[in-house]
Amino acid sequence: DDFASLPSLAQEYATRGDGEVFEHIFRLKHKNGQWRWIHRTATIFSRTADGSPKQILGAVTDITRFKQTERELRELSARLLSAQDEERRRIARELHDTTGQNLTAMGLQLDPIEKSKSLDSDVRKLVSECRRLCRQSQNEIRTMSYLLHPPELDLLGLVGALRWYVVGFEKRTGINARLEVRQDIGRLPSELETDLFRVVQE
């Protein structure tokens, strides 16, 4: 793969001025059979009569350890993002399945109390306010759990989840938004769908 880029490097050298330093990164095969990443800095040392580069002077540094560390950091970053998303899923599930259900049950239990004829007006107002706060908390938890990890992403895929998100965004903010997306995208790998959804969220 790296060898294929050499002809274009020769063309690049021909355009360089005297004293100009250029850099390239590529791989070389070590005599022990291992592939090593090389960082080269070079300059044109001498030219032919027509001005083309004849000799190049430079130095190379083995940056294989750096490249390995760079790859490990990318892999670690991917694992962290995956762990974050899994934690979001867990929290979203708990909010929806536990806290949300508890609030629903609380609202159902407050309903007959509020309708009771034996309550005086002050207590009835308190119960009514409790029911209002209960409904408000349900809505907030539903929104929060959907934003943490919308079930539409698993059920409908990226396009369906984005349509749902744009509608919710308009309701929450009062800002008109339009989603333009190709209809033939279909389902993408789960991690990619999640990453793209997070980009839109940001």
Side-chain angles (χ1 to χ4, degrees), residues 2-3 5-26 38-48 50-60:
D2 295 15
F3 190 78
S5 66
L6 289 181
S8 64
L9 290 184
Q11 294 171 0
E12 184 183 343
Y13 297 158
T15 65
R16 299 285 184 156
D18 290 340
E20 192 175 352
V21 176
F22 37 91
E23 302 179 40
H24 298 104
I25 293 176
F26 51 87
I38 298 298
H39 175 255
R40 178 174 69 179
T41 56
T43 189
I44 296 171
F45 183 68
S46 66
R47 297 180 181 272
T48 61
D50 65 357
S52 300
K54 181 181 179 183
Q55 292 178 309
I56 294 173
L57 178 67
V60 295

Side-chain angles (χ1 to χ4, degrees), residues 91-155:
I91 294 170
R93 263 195 315 269
E94 287 187 9
L95 283 173
H96 183 270
D97 296 345
T98 305
T99 311
Q101 297 303 321
N102 288 342
L103 285 167
T104 300
M106 191 185 303
L108 290 172
Q109 290 175 16
L110 287 170
D111 188 42
I113 297 173
E114 185 184 14
K115 292 175 181 173
S116 171
K117 305 225 186 276
S118 62
L119 288 182
D120 63 44
S121 61
D122 288 341
V123 175
R124 192 182 308 282
K125 283 179 185 175
L126 283 173
V127 174
S128 179
E129 178 62 10
C130 287
R131 286 196 69 207
R132 188 191 68 77
L133 290 171
C134 198
R135 284 192 300 271
Q136 181 182 325
S137 298
Q138 277 181 291
N139 290 334
E140 288 172 356
I141 282 175
R142 191 179 299 114
T143 300
M144 194 182 305
S145 92
Y146 274 38
L147 291 178
L148 280 168
H149 186 83
E152 284 80 3
L153 198 54
D154 298 325
L155 297 170

